[in-house]
Amino acid sequence: MAAIIPSGYPAQGIFYMLGHPSLFKNLICPILLTILWGFAVLIFGFSYLLKLQAHALISAKCPAALAWIVCIIFVLLEVAVLSILFYLIILPIYQDGLFDRVLKLRGLKHVLKRNEGNDLVKCMRGVSGGLWILFFQIIVLVITLPINIVPVLGQFAFVIINGWILTFGLRFHYDAEIRNISVLQSRHEAWQRRSEYTGFGAVAVGLEMIPIANLLFVWTNIVGCALWVADEIEKEESRLQQQQSLQSLMGGQNSSRMSPEDRDTPPDYSPGNHFQMVATCE
């Protein structure tokens, strides 16, 4: 199998999703919910918040025309921020389903089946860990946002810093609910593999910074991450299969060299003969 290069998977996610239209079914519900929420907030903003804020500015001796213009801008910004926050909150609910769907399309349904079941500990780990990661993402995003003022270098630093965290969040479902490891173990592995995580995440964050198109790239990044995980699983399964085949071949050769009397003799379980026993059993 070819070497795995994490930074290439966000682009692979785009082409894979476009080549598998069935994956778009996972986008319909969250996008519709976000649109409905946006319309609801927009109606509330212009019917209530606009008047409230405009009257407050006018009471503070602000010219009426200027107050109304400023308040219209404020309401639009408030609607945008609330819509983005709503989208970020419901995104994890649907991204796990999309992630699992990609693994199934890659023929790794058996990996998911091994971890089926209503495990309360696993569920709580996934929910609590996901909320912690989301909170951490928002905090780091707000803190690092001003560095975008610096041309080129600012954007480069922004995608590098936020890229690692984004990848950690995208892979956490696989770690917590499929591999069944703790949040601390997942975070430790993410830090050990920070160059890989940052390589994937930097490209993914860069795509999500593109206006309008980022509504699609948020989902294709999930697909790309799932493809990355699928390749890792297949590579590991291939390695284990080759190892088992080699062990079986060596075991067959050792067995053919043994005399009938030796085959009937029970293995020696003494400590000094431990490695010989293992080789014989294999």
Side-chain angles (χ1 to χ4, degrees):
M1 183 176 287
I4 294 176
I5 304 175
S7 58
Y9 282 97
Q12 289 187 38
I14 297 172
F15 293 110
Y16 191 87
M17 193 162 190
L18 293 175
H20 295 79
S22 62
L23 294 175
F24 284 92
K25 295 177 183 178
N26 295 77
L27 281 64
I28 295 174
C29 189
I31 289 176
L32 285 178
L33 287 174
T34 305
I35 292 173
L36 290 174
W37 169 260
F39 275 120
V41 174
L42 190 67
I43 293 170
F44 175 75
F46 278 98
S47 62
Y48 179 73
L49 293 178
L50 180 61
K51 295 178 183 178
L52 185 67
Q53 294 173 2
H55 290 159
L57 288 178
I58 292 171
S59 300
K61 308 301 182 182
C62 180
L66 180 61
W68 284 101
I69 293 173
V70 170
C71 287
I72 289 173
I73 296 173
F74 278 174
V75 168
L76 291 174
L77 288 174
E78 289 161 359
V79 170
V81 170
L82 289 173
S83 297
I84 292 172
L85 287 176
F86 179 80
Y87 192 69
L88 289 175
I89 290 170
I90 67 168
L91 181 62
I93 300 173
Y94 294 94
Q95 75 176 22
D96 293 350
L98 179 61
F99 193 101
D100 293 349
R101 177 68 178 159
V102 174
L103 293 184
K104 290 177 182 177
L105 288 174
R106 286 289 299 266
L108 297 172
K109 193 174 182 179
H110 61 281
V111 176
L112 300 173
K113 276 192 171 182
R114 285 201 299 261
N115 296 276
E116 285 181 349
N118 296 321
D119 188 339
L120 183 60
V121 175
K122 187 189 299 183
C123 179
M124 292 303 296
R125 184 196 301 131
V127 172
S128 60
L131 290 174
W132 179 85
I133 293 171
L134 177 62
F135 176 75
F136 189 53
Q137 278 182 306
I138 293 173
I139 294 298
V140 174
L141 183 67
V142 172
I143 292 174
T144 57
L145 200 58
I147 66 176
N148 283 287
I149 298 174
V150 182
V152 184
L153 291 178
Q155 284 78 39
F156 183 76
F158 181 83
V159 299
I160 291 293
I161 295 170
N162 288 275
W164 178 83
I165 303 169
L166 175 68
T167 308
F168 178 31
L170 291 179
R171 288 184 62 112
F172 182 70
H173 164 63
Y174 171 63
D175 288 344
E177 299 181 43
I178 299 178
R179 293 177 65 198
N180 199 25
I181 64 175
S182 68
V183 180
L184 290 176
Q185 288 174 312
S186 177
R187 187 178 64 184
H188 179 68
E189 181 177 317
W191 183 247
Q192 282 187 322
R193 302 177 60 186
R194 55 187 176 274
S195 60
E196 297 175 69
Y197 277 49
T198 302
F200 175 92
V203 178
V205 171
L207 290 173
E208 292 184 12
M209 290 177 68
I210 302 174
I212 301 177
N214 56 5
L215 292 174
L216 174 64
F217 292 149
V218 165
W219 298 99
T220 59
N221 285 336
I222 298 169
V223 174
C225 186
L227 293 174
W228 177 17
V229 168
D231 282 346
E232 287 185 343
I233 294 172
E234 290 177 350
K235 186 174 182 179
E236 180 63 17
E237 288 182 344
S238 176
R239 186 189 68 81
L240 290 174
Q241 188 175 10
Q242 289 177 357
Q243 185 178 10
Q244 290 173 358
S245 299
L246 181 61
Q247 289 175 348
S248 299
L249 180 61
M250 291 176 65
Q253 290 176 348
N254 290 336
S255 177
S256 64
R257 294 171 185 172
M258 293 173 61
S259 64
E261 292 80 6
D262 291 335
R263 293 174 187 171
D264 294 334
T265 303
D268 182 6
Y269 290 97
S270 62
N273 201 41
H274 173 71
F275 293 105
Q276 182 181 352
M277 177 198 71
V278 172
T280 304
C281 293
E282 291 177 349

